[in-house]
Amino acid sequence: FEPEIPTPPMITGQGDVDELFDVKNAYYIGSYQQCINEAQKVKPSSPEKEIERDMFLYRAYIAQRKYAVVLDDIKANSPPELQAVKMFAEYLSSESKRDVIVADLDKKMAKSVDAANTTFLLMAASIYHHEMNTDAALRALHQGESLECMAMTIQVLLSLDRVDLARKELKKMQEQDEDATLTQLATAWVNIAVGGEKLQDAYYIFQEMSDKYSSTLLLLNGQAACYMAQNKWEEAEGVLQEALDKDSSHPETLINLIVLTQHLGKAPEVTSRYLSQLKDAHRAHPFLKDYLAKENEFDRLAMQYAPTATA
Amino acid sequence: MLTKFETKSARVKGLSFHPKRPWVLASLHNGVIQLWDYRMCTLIDKFDEHDGPVRGIDFHKQQPLFVSGGDDYKIKVGLLTMKIVKIYNNENEWSALISYVSYFFLLCSVLTGHNHYVMCAQFHPSEDLVVSGSLDQTVRVWDISGLRKKNLSPGAVETEVRGISGVDLFGASDAVVKHVLEGHDRGVNWAAFHPTMPLIVSGADDRQVKIWRMNESKAWELDTCRGHYNNVSCAIFHPRQELILSNSEDKSIRVWDMSKRTGVQTFRRDHDRFWVLGAHPNLNLFAAGHDSGMIVFKLERERPAYAVHGNMLYYVKDRFLRQLDFNSSKDTAVMQLRSGSKFPVFSMSYNPAENAVLLCTRATNLENSTYDLYSIPKESDSQNPDAPEGKRSSGLTAVWVARNRFAVLDRMHSLLIKNLKNEIVKKVQVPSCEEIFYAGTGSLLLRDADGVTLFDVQQKRSLATVKISKVKYVVWSADTSHVALLAKHAIMICNRKLESLCNIHENIRVKSGAWDESGVFIYTTSNHIKYALTSGDHGIIRTLDLPIYVTRVRGNSVYCLDRECRPRVLTIDPTEYRFKLALVNRKYDEVLHMVRNAKLVGQSIIAYLQKKGYPEVALHFVKDEKTRFSLALECGNIEVALEAAKALDERSCWERLGEAALLQGHHQVVEMCYQRTKNFDKLTFLYLITGNLAKLRKMMKIAEIRKDMSGHYQAALYLGDVSERVRILKNCGQKSLAYLTAATHGLDEEAEALKETFDPEKETVPEVDPNAQLLQPPPPINPLDTNWPLLTVSKGFFEGAIAAKGKAGQMAADLDMDTSGGEGWGDDAELQLDEDGFVDAPEGLGEEGLGKEEGGGWDVEEDLDLPPELDVPVGAGGGTEDGFFVPPTKGTSPTQMWCNNSQLPVDHILAGSFETAMRLLHDQVGVVDFGPYKSLFMQTLSRGRTSYLGLPSLPCLRGHPQRNWKDCGAKQGLPAVGLRLSDLISRLQQCYQLTTAGRFEDAVERFRVILLSVPLLVVDNKQEIAEVSNKYLTGLYTERKKLPKDTLEQQKRLCEMAAYFTHCNLQPVHMVLVLRTALNLFFKLRNFKTAAGFARRLLELGPKPDVAQQTRKILAACEKNLTDAHQLNYDPHNPFDLCAASYVPLYRGRPVEKCPLSGACYCPPYKGQICRVTQATEIGKDVIGLRVSPLQFR
């Protein structure tokens, strides 16, 4: 229940409107180009807002894998928030430097961290999450109080299969702002993990967002995940087809299509085609890493078996 | 009370509605009678026949007549004039007229008994009664049956006018007073019967309205309605509802509840006293006459509250919420509404996600309006639907803004956001607003006095505004990309950003609208169905007799609700708007199709096309050459214009064509035009600029013949022909010019000759300019034969389509032939599948599979002991006491649950637990070589997890589809399998086809994959598939062993193999092939007896006629000599299995080893080896057996 805040007389006609709403919203629902466009359009009212705007702008570039833009644009004298974004961009852009960056980050985290720099916490947690160091990620996020920190906490908890804790965290988010885009999205993630009747709720959340803003790969794959969890394969096909039309080599779409085509009973060749596409375009994707590991495991295990007699 | 129409005139004393047409007659105090169309709001006619006030007026129920009575003691019968109705020439005209007149005589004259003026008299609608009211303070009921008996003429059919043909109208005994109703203290102004019940209502100068009841013997006062504070001038019963309407000189109209005798509504006027009331016989319309005119009104809105979602219409009718399925036309009551409001439901908002509705009810005093939030019961008995408890709150309007949120405009005109529990979640400050409308998730349309604003509820800000006054309804297209804003007399179509796309004004009220699936807005006014394209084109589709409310448009059907709230479907012809839409969207193939196939009306469409800039399309409609010509010119189609010009052959056409062609550089056409119009000058110049010297010279000749000196000279000048010029000048007497020309151009001889002719005395020889230069047009390098090069403009669709028409037809024909060939092929394949006994099998099994679902509960009971360490450590981690953060430990993933909950190998593979999966496969079906299983494992694994994105740039989240997702809870999950028996069977069919095609290696490979997939099924046990595949594989292996045929031994072996193959369990179609092979081989080997056996078996299968014939021949040949030349290891009569390794028959009773998965048989020495069929399992291994269903673990 949100406390009622008396709205001051409307001078600007905007009330308590977040001037960066469109920028943030576009970013969270995965509409990165729109986020960049909006960020370039908006005129921030204060230097703080400007930094915040830039933060989302560069993160949108990162999400588009355009790391060079970020690395070139953010200079040594840029504010600390943006330095954090740059660190994350560096981490993602080169595999070879990752160990150095993580070691450096560890050192920073060991010292006392400026908890007000939420961006730094988020970026640190993102790196740790990529490193599968969920403890460190959660520890970092624990210091922040923003909605996004909570959302990321939920995502990490879900990757740990701790739905119970994720729900608790979600409750906190809902108390802070139930209607915020991030809260809605986090609700959907948790609902998918909970399963059962909640799946339909999750679906509606994604559906509502794509109705209201625009349908994005993020939202479409969310919808597909809901459909598939409900064994609604035909419906999922439509959604994934739309996603495929938007980007034919989007890794999550391909992964979901690999699942879907098999459930639809398509010929095995169709499935392997998507797998090859995925191998072609996203060799480093965690799904493929898992996949290769499993292949090796298979070979190892298979050696334990042999016929009693040979021909 | 809703005013539909108002007039201004002198005092209105009498009123009458036409029973069918939208007309009302008003008789005025000044003697004039007016006929109004209240729907179009126009005065149709005026009759000025009376002197002084006209107090009585009535339409004839069937004829185009009306009657009026005035203070001038005259009754006049008016004939509605020809401009309104068709010519009135009924043969009964006169009798009807007479009887009608007499009816009014009666009213005015016969009633003797009142002691004062009779103010009003009315017939009873069905009985022979008359009621009258008089200033003697009484109401009297008269029995007029005597009159009726007496005057009933044999031919009278007009029962409505009571069949009285006036003869003796003034006989006093014909109307007998039946009841005298005393009770009013002053003069009675009006008395009227109830249409069905024995009731009378009266209004008097004592300011009271009285209700009376009567029976055969007596009549008595029932009750009095008090409230008017001046003389009651008129009182009537509502024709269909339990209401009384009265009006008075106190300037008010009042509505009374008949049973409670209390006032329901009051309608006041500032300055005008009311005098008379009229009710429409069929519609819910009333009219009231006052001092300065008349109003036509209705008591309440007749618009049903409805909402459309997908294929469903929800609407309110008689206190029920009903649901209509557009597809099946199934109309059911889904719930009963809570009663308690005397007002009908005003509007509805439906929420498909929660299956909930918001029903808004408007009170007369807006501030008392309420809304109800109902959750629609999931299942309901249509005969006696549930009446769920709704949540009622006050508020003007309530509209859903999200799955679990709705917005309420409260009476203070501020906006509240509420949740499903009807609790306020937040208050939103909004710009001034008097109404809210749905605008998609999270948004609302706010209406203020002069515009509509799109408002984002979450961000609390206005996104866009459009100016349009008093929007009443809002209709969104299905994809919410467009919205139609409907006001009383205007429609505006906007896009999602509320940018106005078009604006339409209507003279008649706009009622409703819906978007059709192609994005055309179909709307209704009071009397039309119309369309509007987003581009602004609009027009009439058809007329309507009564207003309807469109709910949905699909194809030719307009689904609507009428005023009685009955769902109806009207048919419309969408051709016109489809055509225009196709044009606007440049879908020329559709346009062309319609041009060719639809009957589009000529001139208007052509004019439309021309106006809208589509002359090239119009060109295809037009047959008239003249129009065709001008259209062709308009779109620059010279070829078509030329054709038309040739047909017309008019000078003006050629001239216009010439101009157009010149602009396009079509000089050959230009030439033709100039030739046709004999425009020699232009033609000459054309030849000059195109360098056509030969023709230019010809032109010169022509000019000479035509004696056109100037033209001749000009041509010579163009040609640079100096001597010709000199000659022309000389001939026309321009001697000095001729001399100068000759001299200048160095034609000395000529010059001299000319000089001679000068008369030195009278004429001077002109000086030759020494600086003169030879002026010559430059000679053309190449004459221009072709037209000027044009830019390659892609041909318009239409030109192309028209040109291609011929060709396309041919191609289609070719294609048809091809496809028919293909079908022939397909037919065979079909046949083969039909013969297949296995095709039927899966259905039965599918059912068993379903049965198994229920058996899921068994898993619960079976409940494996979970290793304690797998249990979620409760409370460990996640705690944040005192800011000290302990990272949580990992939870139990759904995949771990899967392994715990199932012993089926596939569940373990899906969970990624290969080790246990292999163990299970090994134990169950004896797999010892997992090589062939690798791709199956990996594929299966890859379908166990979906992925979805959380925050950007983070590793994605994983979803785990489960087959028992509905009721598995947190711990009982089992993965969705994704491999269905039906899929395997359809893949099996493909293998059969491959076999038929002779692609054995492919077929074998695929058969094996299918076979190996069998243990990965989750169904009830399905051994057959394994068996089928097994037999095939053995057989195909045999075929593959292509032995050399050199020696007799080898030939014998080949024959044996062929013979064995005939004993594999094959599809009939394949069996035919196999038998033929065997038959031929044995026949060649001269083993006639066995061959004959094959031949008979072959014939039993009913092969194709030619094969059958050949087989019969061979059989006949064999039967002549029923012996076998060679001894083979083949006994067709003794049942045997084939060893899949050595391909020797294993006759029944001999020791045999089987493969645990495929069931293939082997000679005992092969025990322990890898099965040849599966290449994965061990022959003769001792196993548990195939486990593909949880039922097997019971």
Side-chain angles (χ1 to χ4, degrees), chain B residues 26-52:
Chain B
S27 64
L28 311 183
H29 200 259
N30 63 5
V32 173
I33 296 167
Q34 294 175 323
L35 175 61
W36 293 92
D37 183 321
Y38 55 80
R39 207 157 68 174
M40 303 290 285
C41 308
T42 48
L43 180 66
I44 301 174
D45 215 337
K46 221 165 79 176
F47 312 89
D48 196 357
E49 302 289 338
H50 284 279
D51 296 322

Side-chain angles (χ1 to χ4, degrees), chain A residues 21 130 160 208 262 294 308, chain B residues 403 459 891 912 943 953 1178:
Chain A
F21 177 88
H130 273 281
L160 283 171
E208 261 179 26
Q262 296 191 60
K294 278 287 170 194
T308 328
Chain B
R403 174 179 43 90
Q459 299 179 54
R943 69 167 177 259
S953 306
E1178 185 179 312

